């Protein structure tokens, strides 16, 4: 059976994850509180839903527990990101990846049991720095 993914928050980060998963031919549900964002992904994702994921009833009605992997890509609203992650854990979602915006956010996410925490700007900065260094080494 194909794995089913859900992406919560369709900013640049969540949107690009949603698009990449769809391009891989995977089932992905796109969820955002902002109707315009959801409309923009209606033809990209398998399903697109408007909803506030800090509301447990919204996540239950989507059947979020049945997804194999949920990606929480709410960045700036740290409270919404933490609350959403907590509810996902309580509802028994198996695999949760969350975008963190700072070290304290990351610590809280890890304490409430997020399975994977990403810090896109920091991670990408490190990766690019390593690439620059390794290219320079090869140049000499
Ligand atoms: P990025 O840096 O990835 O571009 P952004 O700065 O555009 O992100 P963020 O504030 O990080 O935006 O939020 C990402 C998305 O999460 C937004 O599209 C926003 O509407 C959505 N979002 C925020 N709060 C909630 C919520 N409670 N429920 C669902 N979606 C939410």
């Amino acid at each position: 059976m194909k794995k089913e993914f859900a992406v919560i928050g369709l900013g640049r980060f969540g949107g690009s994850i949603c698009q990449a998963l769809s391009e891989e031919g995977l089932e992905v549900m796109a969820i955002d509180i902002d109707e315009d964002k959801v409309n923009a992904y209606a033809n990209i994702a398998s399903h697109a839903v408007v909803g506030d994921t800090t509301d447990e009833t919204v996540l239950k009605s989507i059947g979020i527990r049945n997804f194999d992997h949920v990606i929480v890509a709410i960045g700036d609203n740290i409270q919404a990101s933490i609350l959403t992650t907590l509810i996902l854990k309580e509802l028994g979602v198996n695999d949760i990846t969350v975008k963190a915006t700072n070290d304290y956010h990351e610590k809280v996410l890890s304490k409430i049991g997020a399975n994977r925490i990403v810090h896109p700007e920091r991670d990408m900065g490190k990766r690019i720095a390593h690439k620059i260094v390794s290219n320079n080494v090869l140049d000499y």
Side-chain angles (χ1 to χ4, degrees):
M1 271 241 309
K2 259 193 200 173
K3 272 200 164 188
E4 288 196 46
F5 295 83
V7 178
I8 298 173
L10 303 168
R12 284 164 301 173
F13 176 68
S16 67
I17 290 199
C18 184
Q19 178 139 20
L21 291 172
S22 294
E23 284 169 6
E24 292 286 333
L26 297 162
E27 291 282 319
V28 51
M29 176 181 274
I31 308 161
D32 201 290
I33 199 168
D34 178 340
E35 193 174 350
D36 290 340
K37 294 266 175 74
V38 172
N39 287 337
Y41 283 87
N43 294 325
I44 296 168
S46 328
H47 308 277
V49 175
V50 180
D52 179 352
T53 55
T54 63
D55 181 347
E56 187 175 340
T57 54
V58 167
L59 288 174
K60 276 188 178 161
S61 71
I62 291 169
I64 203 76
R65 205 182 171 287
N66 301 320
F67 287 83
D68 299 290
H69 194 147
V70 179
I71 295 107
V72 182
I74 302 171
D76 293 344
N77 187 342
I78 293 178
Q79 186 176 331
S81 159
I82 291 169
L83 253 178
T84 297
T85 307
L86 185 67
I87 297 169
L88 292 173
K89 279 303 283 185
E90 286 192 350
L91 293 178
V93 175
N94 262 336
D95 207 349
I96 308 170
T97 293
V98 192
K99 168 186 164 173
T101 39
N102 61 50
D103 291 346
Y104 290 111
H105 186 191
E106 189 169 345
K107 271 189 191 168
V108 176
L109 292 171
S110 128
K111 284 196 194 265
I112 59 179
N115 303 85
R116 201 174 297 104
I117 300 163
V118 291
H119 214 133
E121 291 86 358
R122 194 181 65 189
D123 297 347
M124 188 51 79
K126 279 187 188 166
R127 203 179 293 178
I128 290 173
H130 284 138
K131 215 171 162 113
I132 291 168
V133 171
S134 62
N135 284 347
N136 280 345
V137 169
L138 289 178
D139 284 347
Y140 284 111

